[in-house]
Amino acid sequence: MEKAKISVIQLFALMFIFEMGTALVVNYGAYAGKDAWLSILLAMCGGIVLFFIYYFLFRQYPDLLLTGYVREIFGKYIGWIVALLYCLYFLYVCGRNVRELGDLLVSSTLSETPLLAINLTLVLVMCYVIHLGIEVVGRTAEVFFVILLLLGAGGNFFVLVSGDVDFHQIRPFLEHGWKPIFTTAFPHLIIFPFGEMIAFTMLLPYLNRPQLVKRVWLGAVISSGLILSWMFVLNTSVLGIDVMQRSVFPTLTAVGKVNLFDFIERLDAIVVFTLLITVFFKASIYLYAAVIGIADLFKLNNYHQILLPIGTVVIFLSLSMASSFSEHTKEGFLFNSLAVIPFIILPVLLLLVSIIRKHFKKKMN
């Protein structure tokens, strides 16, 4: 483990930005139609339940990373394999996030720029910041958290006063009943982004006040869930549910419609810059989790020697995982179905085995 400490505010900023990620911009939850905002709130409640599973495991092993207590619970050999699979998963999702940002930039602002150039630049900057340490990542997140709030408040204000908003487009409530709401929320929305918070089990030992983990984590999950739900309502009120479901980046489309006095327009740059901030930190956390996990498993003195090679793997993954963004989206839908295993099934199994082992230890004593 790196000898570093991050503050409560820094951890909250990292978690909040992480939760926003690409969910703020992509077609998030639209499978539930006009009631997707309710699906997001239900998934947020599921994310709170998942937190208590992760929190219990953290309380049992407060000084260990996820890769450490997986080996403690499952045993030396099975635990090592499971921990390595988690590290590979972190790398894969990091590559997915880098690819999504690259596709947005190519389709919106940098149409003549090769995808390789965008992804390479992003990953190199990520590697540089991670090389400086998790404390630097946390302090940087504090600054960009404030910028993110200002951008979000400004974007929402201009959309609301633009005259394009019609909240009647959200009605009727429960148009198709509860079934699409539940099937959208579980497992897809609970996995992305709330279940992805399992990456922070690799950062919690660095918190300088571990007794405040519960407040910070729950605060980040609830605030991000409410904002994502509101953004769906706002986008649908501007675009209508038909356009919303067809749009690849609905937030970009909704903000791009703003035209005040033929002077304030082309505000889609706000969305692009927002996504650049959120994806940078989300992908950085995944990359950091993978790197320190691999360093822990292979008993390396520090992670710096493997950072650049693993960053190269992320670049390769981001370019090769799909030939187009539509294929990338379909693959992501399938991946969310399989991600139930690392996000829900394995943590529950870890919890049960940990409780059973603790019970037998007490009986033996």
Side-chain angles (χ1 to χ4, degrees), residues 171-193:
R171 299 169 63 189
F173 181 60
L174 293 177
E175 183 179 15
H176 301 291
W178 284 96
K179 184 178 178 181
I181 295 173
F182 280 110
T183 53
T184 303
F186 308 104
H188 297 293
L189 298 191
I190 191 175
I191 296 293
F192 169 69

Side-chain angles (χ1 to χ4, degrees), residues 238-239 243 247-258 268 271:
V238 173
L239 303 174
V243 177
S247 179
V248 178
F249 302 111
T251 305
L252 187 71
T253 308
V255 174
K257 291 186 70 174
V258 173
D268 44 350
V271 179

Side-chain angles (χ1 to χ4, degrees), residues 296-315:
D296 180 43
L297 289 174
F298 289 94
K299 295 181 171 56
L300 303 177
N301 292 328
N302 62 67
Y303 63 85
H304 297 99
Q305 55 193 314
I306 59 171
L307 179 57
L308 202 56
I310 291 179
T312 306
V313 172
V314 170
I315 296 170

Side-chain angles (χ1 to χ4, degrees), residues 83-139:
L84 180 62
L85 290 175
Y86 266 113
C87 293
L88 295 177
Y89 156 76
F90 292 149
L91 279 181
Y92 175 76
V93 185
C94 178
R96 286 193 63 82
N97 280 271
V98 171
R99 176 59 181 267
E100 284 167 3
L101 176 63
D103 280 329
L104 174 70
L105 291 176
V106 168
S107 63
S108 61
T109 55
L110 303 173
S111 56
E112 300 299 321
T113 306
L115 186 62
L116 173 62
I118 297 171
N119 292 6
L120 178 64
T121 305
L122 177 64
V123 173
L124 286 176
V125 175
M126 285 163 47
C127 288
Y128 174 70
V129 175
I130 292 171
H131 177 81
L132 297 177
I134 191 63
E135 288 184 1
V136 173
V137 177
R139 288 197 296 268

Side-chain angles (χ1 to χ4, degrees), residues 5 8 11 23-24 33 35 69 73 105 124 146 187 199 205 214 229 248 256 295-296 302 320 327 331-332 336-337 346:
K5 289 293 178 184
V8 169
L11 181 63
L24 199 62
D35 297 314
Y69 62 71
I73 295 171
L105 291 176
L124 286 176
V146 177
K214 186 187 293 185
S229 182
V248 178
D296 180 43
N302 62 67
S320 62
E327 183 184 326
E331 184 183 305
N336 273 0
S337 301
L346 276 176

